[in-house]
Amino acid sequence: MGGDEVRERFNAPELNLARHIEDGTVTDVDSGEWERATMSLFGDGLDAAVQKSFTRPAPKNAGAQMRYLVKQLKGTRPVAQMLRISQRTVERYVKDQIKKPRPDLAARLEREVKKRWQPQIRAKARHKAATTGGIVIDTRARIGYTAPIGSTDQDRIRHLTVALPPRYAARLFEAQEQGATDQRLKELAAEALKEVYFQDGGRRAGSLEEVRFTDIEHLEFDL
């Protein structure tokens, strides 16, 4: 979520995101809503990346929906019990002998398919990113690093677009699934930028100590 989106979400066009310091708090009089706005940047960004990666739409017609549920629940009987219809009716939908359900059944079908489809696709997207695809971070923020005397880089606003290998995607998604705070997710992202961007996978700046990642104006992930 970028700075403009945060301002729009909380109806605060004058909100200065640069006032947020590294731990996600605010350096001026503020309400809990502003802190939550900043604290959601990384978690919401990861969720949005997964959402964008959905390439397979959920089944739309009744027959396809019923076949999907039968496959997920491993039989027509549990589907019939869940939808409160007869097993024979389920079988007829599976064979496309019935194609147009009544409104209440259509609503239940859509709800039950959606409930199972979205987590399944999310899991596949995350697994792909963490094993083969990796994740791209695009950010505009104040970034600098600390290193031995003579090579420390002063913090300055940078716009970076960096492709992170799968192991970094795995760290971010695992931490998010375990309930990590946005501060922890930001630390993991900073570690990834340190190793991939500043140290070029170990080919330079081996003595780099830490990367500072603050005053985030824009943040977006992509799978």
Side-chain angles (χ1 to χ4, degrees):
M1 181 183 295
D4 290 340
E5 292 173 84
V6 173
R7 295 184 181 96
E8 181 178 351
R9 177 177 174 183
F10 291 96
N11 192 26
E14 302 303 321
L15 176 61
N16 181 3
L17 295 181
R19 303 187 74 89
H20 292 255
I21 61 176
E22 188 167 6
D23 64 358
T25 59
V26 178
T27 59
D28 201 349
V29 177
D30 195 20
S31 70
E33 287 186 335
W34 304 133
E35 182 171 352
R36 285 194 295 276
T38 298
M39 296 298 284
S40 69
L41 282 174
F42 284 81
D44 286 357
L46 291 171
D47 287 340
V50 173
Q51 184 71 34
K52 285 187 298 184
S53 75
F54 289 3
T55 56
R56 293 173 54 204
K60 295 297 183 184
N61 65 68
Q65 290 175 331
M66 200 69 78
R67 287 188 287 273
Y68 172 76
L69 291 176
V70 168
K71 183 178 179 180
Q72 294 299 306
L73 275 65
K74 304 186 186 307
T76 56
R77 184 183 297 277
V79 173
Q81 293 173 343
M82 178 183 67
L83 296 175
R84 303 191 299 278
I85 57 179
S86 71
Q87 188 173 356
R88 175 59 181 155
T89 299
V90 172
E91 293 168 353
R92 293 180 69 191
Y93 274 108
V94 167
K95 296 176 181 178
D96 286 326
Q97 293 174 347
I98 308 177
K99 297 185 178 181
K100 188 171 179 59
R102 60 185 186 273
D104 60 327
L105 177 57
R108 289 201 300 275
L109 261 174
E110 183 175 359
R111 182 173 63 249
E112 295 299 336
V113 167
K114 185 177 181 181
K115 184 166 66 177
R116 290 162 178 78
W117 184 267
Q118 290 183 349
Q120 184 182 44
I121 298 300
R122 285 193 186 99
K124 288 181 178 180
R126 290 184 175 189
H127 178 73
K128 181 179 179 181
T131 55
T132 59
I135 191 168
V136 174
I137 180 171
D138 182 270
T139 186
R140 178 175 170 80
R142 188 173 300 280
I143 302 174
Y145 61 79
T146 301
I149 295 176
S151 59
T152 297
D153 190 36
Q154 183 177 4
D155 295 10
R156 66 179 187 272
I157 295 295
R158 306 173 192 249
H159 189 168
L160 302 181
T161 302
V162 182
L164 305 177
R167 64 182 181 275
Y168 298 106
R171 291 176 190 173
L172 286 165
F173 284 128
E174 286 171 6
Q176 185 189 30
E177 289 175 359
Q178 293 169 5
T181 64
D182 241 43
Q183 176 63 25
R184 177 54 183 157
L185 294 175
K186 181 169 71 171
E187 291 170 358
L188 290 173
E191 291 173 11
L193 290 175
K194 169 188 170 183
E195 295 179 28
V196 177
Y197 179 78
F198 288 101
Q199 294 183 315
D200 192 17
R203 286 182 283 274
R204 65 183 182 188
S207 59
L208 201 66
E209 295 174 2
E210 71 170 347
V211 166
R212 294 181 297 278
F213 187 10
T214 61
D215 295 349
I216 300 169
E217 297 178 2
H218 167 80
L219 177 72
E220 186 175 357
F221 292 99
D222 202 2
L223 302 186

